[in-house]
Every structure is written in C-alpha cells, then in structure tokens.
Amino acid sequence: MAIIETEAVLHDAHRDNHTHRDVNGGWLRPAVFGAMDGLVSNLALMTGVAGGSVSQQTVVLSGLAGLAAGAFSMAAGEYTSVASQRELVEAELDVERRELHRHPKDEEAELAALYQARGVEPELAREVARQLSKDPEQALEIHAREELGIDPGDLPSPSVAALSSFGSFALGALLPVLPYLLGASSIWPAVAVALLGLFLCGAVVAKVTARTWWFSGLRQLALGGAAAGVTYALGSLFGTAVG
C-alpha cells in the first residue's frame, strides 16, 4: 500500500511539474525581433551617415527619419500580411462551412477517417465523429483544426499586429537616436547604447530558444556591430568620393 501511495504522489508531482515553454514565442518573439530590427537598421543607417563626416544635425535627422519610415513601413507590411492571411483563412472556412451544410455525412465520414488514420479503432472513430458533428459550429472548428491546422476562434488581428510592429520597431530604432537627444555630440555613444540594446534583446530571445542568454546576446551584438561597421566604412568611402 505504501509503495502504491508513493508512486501516486510521484505521478502527481510529475504531472504538476511537467510544463513546456511556449514554442511559438507568443507575443515575446515578434516584439523582441521587431525591436532588434529597428535597432540594427537605424544603427546601420546612422553609422553610414556619420561615416560620411556630416554634421551632428544630419545624423540625428537621419535617425529620426529612419525611425519614422521604418516603423510605418513595418506596420503597413504587417497589416497587409496578416490581413491577407486572415482573408485566406476565412475564405477556406467558408468553403468548409458550405461543405458541412451540403454534405454533412461525407464530412462526418472524412472526420472519422482522420481519426482512424491516427490509430483510433474504426467503430470508435465513427462514433466520435458522429457525436462531434452534431453541432455545426463545433464540427467546423474541428475540421478547421484537423484539415487546415487553424483555430477559427483565434485568428490574428491585422490592427494588433500592425500596432505591435510599429511600437517595437520604433522603440528599437529610438535607442541609437537617444544619446544625441540627451546631448551626445558623436556617433560613439549611440553605437554603445545600441549594441547594449542588441545584447539585451538577444538575451531575451534566449527565453524562447534553447541557447544560453549570453550566447544569444553576444551573437546579436556581433551581428549588429558588423552591420554598423560595414555601413560606417561605406559611408566614409562614399563621403570621401562625393566630397
């Protein structure tokens, strides 16, 4: 009896502790990657302009213009992408809804066949499909999940996606500009702040990956630093040629 009780306790403890990370990243991944995109692109833009030996005002103006242009571009692109995806999904849902209305028995048999293909006994699969098909909306939801891999009640919002992209990109793009707005007179404080931001973003990304925080942070710092270095060199080259 004691052994059985101990096994039950261990089983319950395992069940309570058996959790998984969000493999899709939830809101964290798109927000962090949007911020990193803003950081890298605006840092590269500003270092490229600064490499051309232009005035401080020109560098700041370039950074602010890059922030605004990039944020609006990201928002517009994300809105269009998510809206198009949602419209495609809704069109496919309409097709499935019509099929359920016109050929309910065929759709029920199709659902039963799906369960049988996954190892459910034929008789049980048919009974499960019959019971699940009683409610048209429930049947639509199940067919959508099984055949299309989507949840009709959890479709992405184009407006939310656009606002999220706009905000995260703008926040990231603001970091290289911030030192100038606080009184810096050269590009190097902006580079330092931006690289620190990239390291922190990379460390946060480690929460949704299998990498350690310092590896992800250093990797993102290296990539952003390389982009800034290349654009600074190109800015210096083009600035000398134009000048």
Side-chain angles (χ1 to χ4, degrees):
M1 179 65 70
I3 295 176
I4 295 176
E5 291 178 353
T6 301
E7 290 179 347
V9 170
L10 291 175
H11 175 73
D12 291 339
H14 175 73
R15 182 181 58 192
D16 292 340
N17 294 327
H18 187 70
T19 59
H20 293 284
R21 290 177 297 175
D22 181 4
V23 295
N24 293 320
W27 60 268
L28 179 63
R29 185 170 60 179
V32 172
F33 277 100
M36 284 198 294
D37 193 7
L39 259 169
V40 174
S41 62
N42 218 28
L43 174 63
L45 172 64
M46 292 175 64
T47 53
V49 173
S53 300
V54 298
S55 66
Q56 173 185 338
Q57 289 78 7
T58 303
V59 177
V60 176
L61 181 60
S62 298
L64 292 174
L67 185 158
F72 279 109
S73 176
M74 284 285 292
E78 193 70 15
Y79 183 92
T80 302
S81 174
V82 174
S84 299
Q85 179 186 8
R86 186 182 179 108
E87 289 164 2
L88 174 61
V89 169
E90 289 175 343
E92 291 300 313
L93 287 175
D94 286 339
V95 171
E96 193 65 36
R97 187 178 286 108
R98 287 195 299 270
E99 288 300 308
L100 285 167
H101 178 71
R102 295 172 180 172
H103 310 288
K105 290 300 181 182
D106 292 340
E107 292 297 308
E108 181 181 318
E110 183 179 340
L111 187 60
L114 284 173
Y115 291 137
Q116 288 182 48
R118 295 185 178 182
V120 180
E121 295 181 357
E123 184 177 349
L124 179 58
R126 287 192 294 270
E127 178 60 21
V128 170
R130 185 188 67 79
Q131 293 190 29
L132 293 177
S133 299
K134 289 180 179 179
D135 182 353
E137 288 303 314
Q138 178 177 259
L140 175 63
E141 180 178 336
I142 293 170
H143 278 273
R145 287 180 175 175
E146 295 291 342
E147 297 177 30
L148 304 176
I150 58 173
D151 183 354
D154 191 29
L155 298 182
S157 167
S159 299
V160 171
L163 289 174
S164 299
S165 296
F166 182 94
S168 60
F169 185 97
L171 181 62
L174 178 63
L175 283 184
V177 184
L178 197 57
Y180 280 103
L181 300 180
L182 295 177
S185 57
S186 70
I187 190 64
W188 304 117
V191 171
V193 170
L195 292 180
L196 176 60
L198 284 169
F199 179 84
L200 293 176
C201 284
V204 172
V205 169
K207 288 184 173 292
V208 292
T209 67
R211 295 290 186 179
T212 57
W213 64 270
W214 57 265
F215 178 87
S216 295
L218 288 175
R219 179 175 59 184
Q220 197 57 43
L221 186 151
L223 293 173
V230 169
T231 54
Y232 185 85
L234 290 175
S236 299
L237 178 64
F238 295 150
T240 301
V242 173

